[in-house]
């Protein structure tokens, strides 16, 4: 929980995200060694931050190539007022988190490396989780992260939020990173838990900070709107034992109306500053707004959602967008037309190991009465799913097919 904040706080001092990550890990190891003997401190986050900063001094003293940096870092750390070592309020270093995101999204890195590095440093995701989000091999993602940290260090990239026009140039990758962090919290790719609320909260906080920082950027407001509306459903997305609850079965009285209102307000701001066709995040937010406006699942305007997915596919083509459009078409026009769309995606290399493709196909086949085929698809989806909760749900769907 504290990892991203420690990395961000230390990176502000050492100006090297790779070193900052190592120091954060060292501090966590020290906690595992000392806390069982000495007890958990009153402020664990401050203890970890202080330990990481002190280890920064030790590290640079051991490395001659950091001799010049030692003079600066040592003076700053040894003369810093006590409150800098004891950030009682996690929100105090939100600016550091934002700097960490923009640094990891620097243009000296490839787009894929920016996203992977920020998910690793800010989101705390493992390499397999990032690979799952990217639909990419784990070895490829691991290499991207290592090379990205090396590049930032060798190019002496500043740890800062850039000013215009560089800020606008780097905004797209920043938005995508925040979006992927939220998605990992909203539906975890692996592990025993369906939701990882801390990731959703971090992504939502960063989106709100960006919206305040860049009020004239429609896609910033579009992303904020999307995350507010998606987050509004969180309480209804799991049952008493943590099992997933599908959209059609959710108790909509548990949806957070305050977040829905915030989402609608952010979407209105995106529309107000937009100069033309809404961007991908604003379109996704409009789709989420359709769900939020329906007081019951049966009241959902699926035709409008299918139309919005069509616009999204034209603006930002993707096999996953087409799969989502097929789901909307199935609700608006029936499972038959949707199955044609899904079958057309079967040869997409990016969806080869994507468990939601056979899951959607299984649902369509079940609605068409082709239960034996549906069961096979649900079983295949379960074999591909890496989240235990999701795997159980898919196995249950297979069992329902007899």
């Amino acid at each position: 929980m504290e990892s991203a904040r420690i990395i961000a706080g230390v990176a502000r001092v050492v100006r090297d995200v790779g070193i900052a990550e190592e120091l954060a890990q060292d501090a966590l190891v020290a906690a595992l060694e000392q806390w069982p003997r000495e007890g958990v401190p009153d402020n664990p986050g401050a203890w970890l931050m202080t330990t990481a900063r002190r280890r920064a001094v030790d590290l640079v003293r051991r490395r001659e190539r950091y001799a010049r940096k030692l003079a600066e870092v040592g003076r700053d750390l040894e003369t810093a007022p006590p409150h800098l070592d004891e950030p009682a309020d996690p929100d105090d270093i939100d600016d550091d988190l934002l700097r960490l995101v923009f640094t990891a999204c620097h243009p000296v890195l490839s787009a894929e490396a920016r996203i992977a590095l920020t998910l690793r440093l800010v989101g705390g995701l493992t390499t397999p989780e990032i690979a799952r989000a990217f639909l990419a091999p784990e070895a490829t993602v691991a290499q991207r992260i290592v090379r990205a940290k090396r590049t930032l260090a060798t190019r002496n990239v500043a740890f800062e939020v850039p000013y215009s026009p560089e800020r606008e140039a780097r905004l797209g990758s920043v938005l995508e990173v925040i979006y992927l962090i939220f998605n990992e919290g909203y539906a975890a790719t692996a592990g025993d838990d369906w939701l990882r609320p801390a990731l959703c909260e971090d992504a939502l906080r960063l989106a709100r900070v960006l919206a305040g920082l860049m009020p004239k950027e429609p896609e910033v407001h579009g992303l904020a709107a999307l995350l507010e509306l998606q987050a509004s459903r969180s309480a209804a997305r799991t049952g008493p034992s943590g099992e997933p609850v599908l959209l059609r079965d959710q108790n909509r009285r548990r949806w957070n109306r305050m977040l829905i209102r915030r989402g609608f307000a952010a979407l209105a701001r995106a529309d107000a500053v937009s100069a033309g066709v809404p961007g991908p995040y604003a379109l996704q937010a409009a789709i989420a707004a359709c769900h939020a406006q329906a007081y019951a699942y049966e009241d959902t305007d699926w035709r409008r959602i299918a139309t919005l997915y069509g616009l999204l596919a034209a603006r930002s083509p993707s096999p996953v967008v087409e799969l989502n459009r097929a789901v909307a078409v199935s609700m608006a026009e029936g499972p038959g037309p949707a199955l044609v769309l899904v079958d057309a995606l079967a040869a997409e290399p990016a969806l080869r190991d994507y468990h939601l493709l056979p899951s959607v196909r299984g649902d369509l086949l079940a609605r068409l009465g082709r239960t034996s085929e549906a069961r096979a698809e649900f079983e295949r989806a379960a074999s591909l799913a890496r989240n235990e909760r999701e795997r159980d749900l898919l196995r249950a769907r297979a069992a329902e097919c007899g």
Side-chain angles (χ1 to χ4, degrees):
M1 291 172 61
E2 295 291 339
S3 177
R5 294 187 173 92
I6 297 168
I7 293 171
V10 175
R12 177 163 55 89
V13 178
V14 300
R15 306 288 171 172
D16 187 310
V17 293
I19 294 175
E21 185 182 23
E22 293 177 7
L23 294 172
Q25 292 171 350
D26 288 347
L28 294 171
V29 171
L32 290 172
E33 293 172 345
Q34 296 182 38
W35 292 1
R37 298 193 309 265
E38 303 171 7
V40 179
D42 293 335
N43 192 331
W47 189 98
L48 290 166
M49 183 70 78
T50 300
T51 300
R53 286 176 169 174
R54 287 173 179 168
R55 285 173 184 256
V57 176
D58 294 337
L59 178 65
V60 296
R61 282 173 178 162
R62 289 196 304 267
R63 298 182 178 181
E64 289 185 1
R65 67 177 180 271
Y66 291 124
R68 293 180 60 188
K69 187 178 291 186
L70 171 61
E72 302 175 15
V73 174
R75 280 198 304 273
D76 291 345
L77 293 179
E78 291 169 4
T79 62
H83 74 273
L84 289 179
D85 287 339
E86 300 177 0
D89 184 357
D91 289 337
D92 286 348
I93 58 171
D94 277 350
D95 288 344
D96 287 339
L97 284 171
L98 192 60
R99 291 187 188 99
L100 185 61
V101 173
F102 268 95
T103 301
C105 292
H106 198 279
V108 298
L109 304 176
S110 69
E112 294 83 0
R114 299 173 204 171
I115 297 168
L117 181 61
T118 309
L119 286 171
R120 179 73 183 91
L121 297 180
V122 182
L125 275 65
T126 63
T127 298
E129 288 171 337
I130 299 170
R132 188 70 172 176
F134 276 136
L135 304 176
E138 292 180 19
T140 300
V141 173
Q143 290 174 356
R144 287 174 186 167
I145 294 172
V146 171
R147 291 170 180 167
K149 289 190 285 190
R150 186 185 302 129
T151 300
L152 291 177
T154 57
R155 299 289 290 273
N156 294 319
V157 171
F159 184 67
E160 63 184 8
V161 177
Y163 294 97
S164 300
E166 185 183 358
R167 182 186 297 170
E168 284 72 16
R170 286 162 59 181
L171 179 60
S173 60
V174 170
L175 295 179
E176 186 173 6
V177 165
I178 295 173
Y179 178 64
L180 286 173
I181 291 172
F182 181 88
N183 279 351
E184 181 58 31
Y186 194 66
T189 56
D192 298 329
D193 296 322
W194 174 240
L195 299 178
R196 297 175 65 182
L199 284 180
C200 290
E201 292 168 4
D202 280 341
L204 193 52
R205 184 184 304 113
L206 287 170
R208 290 169 178 169
V209 170
L210 271 184
L213 184 66
M214 310 179 77
K216 296 182 180 180
E217 288 290 339
E219 276 292 78
V220 171
H221 296 299
L223 178 64
L226 174 61
L227 302 195
E228 300 279 8
L229 292 168
Q230 296 287 74
S232 71
R233 308 179 204 160
S234 294
R237 296 186 70 245
T238 54
S241 301
E243 70 277 9
V245 178
L246 298 176
L247 181 63
R248 66 171 176 263
D249 301 322
Q250 289 176 16
N251 179 358
R252 300 194 174 208
R253 287 177 294 181
R254 299 190 66 196
W255 287 7
N256 189 316
R257 294 293 159 184
M258 181 192 72
L259 292 181
I260 290 175
R261 287 194 294 272
R262 290 180 66 103
F264 285 159
L267 187 55
R269 286 192 289 271
D271 291 339
V273 297
S274 177
V277 179
Y281 294 112
L283 286 170
Q284 291 179 75
I287 292 168
C290 289
H291 292 296
Q293 289 170 330
Y295 288 99
Y297 184 76
E298 296 73 19
D299 299 333
T300 307
D301 189 348
W302 289 107
R303 291 191 179 277
R304 173 166 170 73
I305 291 176
T307 299
L308 289 169
Y309 268 122
L311 293 173
L312 180 60
R315 186 71 188 270
S316 183
S318 148
V320 174
V321 171
E322 285 296 331
L323 184 62
N324 288 334
R325 185 170 76 89
V327 173
V329 168
S330 77
M331 301 304 298
E333 302 176 20
L339 185 60
V340 175
L341 298 175
V342 171
D343 287 345
L345 297 171
E348 284 287 346
L351 299 182
R352 183 180 59 185
D353 297 323
Y354 190 50
H355 69 284
L356 292 183
L357 178 61
S359 174
V360 170
R361 193 169 191 275
D363 183 70
L364 298 176
L365 290 169
R367 290 166 59 188
L368 289 168
R370 297 160 60 177
T371 53
S372 61
E373 295 174 79
R375 180 177 60 194
E377 291 293 333
F378 285 130
E379 288 172 349
R380 179 168 177 266
S383 71
L384 293 173
R386 297 177 64 182
N387 183 280
E388 191 61 36
R389 298 288 187 176
E390 197 168 13
R391 193 180 296 125
D392 290 343
L393 174 65
L394 291 166
R395 286 170 178 162
R397 295 295 307 278
E400 291 171 2
C401 295

